[in-house]
Amino acid sequence: MPLPLGHMAIGLLTHEATESQPPASERFKWVLIITVLANLPDVDVVIGLLVDGNGSLFHRGPTHSLFFALVAGYLVSVVSQCWRLLPRIRFRTASAVIFSHVVADVLFTTSPVSFLWPFELHWSTGYSNLTDVIHSVVFDGFRDLGLVLASALLVMLIRLVRGRGLGLPWARVRS
């Protein structure tokens, strides 16, 4: 199952595929916003922990759906137009990055997701307390290394195909 690091890598790949490269002065902001958006569907884990002390209580429900990606993507795009601290993010980009989380869960796990919620609803099974969730995020993140490497290679391939170069600091030609 992809963890936050894997979802972040896939979100960055999705952004690279759907948008042009942001200006160098805003790259840090973009990485932050993409990281948050790519992991946004897992807000259900936080809600489950707050409501019942069980991170699996609402996991893989409505927040793991196409509907959630579209609504949250729209809201993020509207907020980014009004709040100057955020870079302006398009609806299609925000929705695609959020939806990349759902697709990654469908592809890389065996547990069902509520892809077409409200027409279908699947909940995660089991019990995950706060310690379990923190342990998984902090200590099991190494399992996402394959996703991170594959995403990085695909980002480089996209940049090469688009003629932007690798975007690596040591690969820049200085005049």
Side-chain angles (χ1 to χ4, degrees):
M1 136 177 103
L3 293 168
L5 185 62
H7 284 302
M8 179 188 76
I10 293 168
L12 290 168
L13 170 62
T14 302
H15 177 265
E16 186 70 31
T18 59
E19 280 295 327
S20 59
Q21 200 168 13
S25 62
E26 291 199 350
R27 285 193 189 135
F28 182 73
K29 284 183 181 180
W30 275 101
V31 169
L32 284 178
I33 191 78
I34 291 166
T35 300
V36 170
L37 293 178
N39 285 285
L40 190 59
D42 279 341
V43 71
D44 57 9
V45 172
V46 175
I47 294 169
L49 287 170
L50 292 173
V51 169
D52 190 51
N54 180 5
S56 294
L57 186 64
F58 300 116
H59 192 47
R60 304 257 172 122
T63 62
H64 285 68
S65 68
L66 175 60
F67 180 77
F68 178 80
L70 294 173
V71 170
Y74 174 74
L75 293 174
V76 167
S77 68
V78 169
V79 169
S80 77
Q81 305 259 339
C82 303
W83 195 15
R84 294 188 189 271
L85 291 174
L86 292 176
R88 288 194 174 207
I89 187 165
R90 296 181 200 189
F91 163 71
R92 72 176 179 156
T93 303
S95 296
V97 171
I98 295 167
F99 194 60
S100 73
H101 181 110
V102 178
V103 171
D105 280 354
V106 167
L107 293 175
F108 301 115
T109 65
T110 57
S111 299
V113 298
S114 300
F115 187 80
L116 294 174
W117 182 86
F119 303 108
E120 67 178 2
L121 181 61
H122 302 284
W123 299 111
S124 178
T125 57
Y127 180 81
S128 303
N129 62 27
L130 181 59
T131 305
D132 297 333
V133 171
I134 290 172
H135 184 273
S136 178
V137 169
V138 173
F139 296 109
D140 293 339
F142 70 90
R143 292 187 298 182
D144 284 349
L145 188 58
L147 292 173
V148 171
L149 292 174
S151 296
L153 288 172
L154 288 170
V155 164
M156 288 190 285
L157 180 64
I158 289 168
R159 288 181 179 181
L160 286 173
V161 168
R162 289 184 177 166
R164 292 194 310 212
L166 294 178
L168 303 171
W170 58 86
R172 289 193 186 111
V173 176
R174 299 180 196 255
S175 52

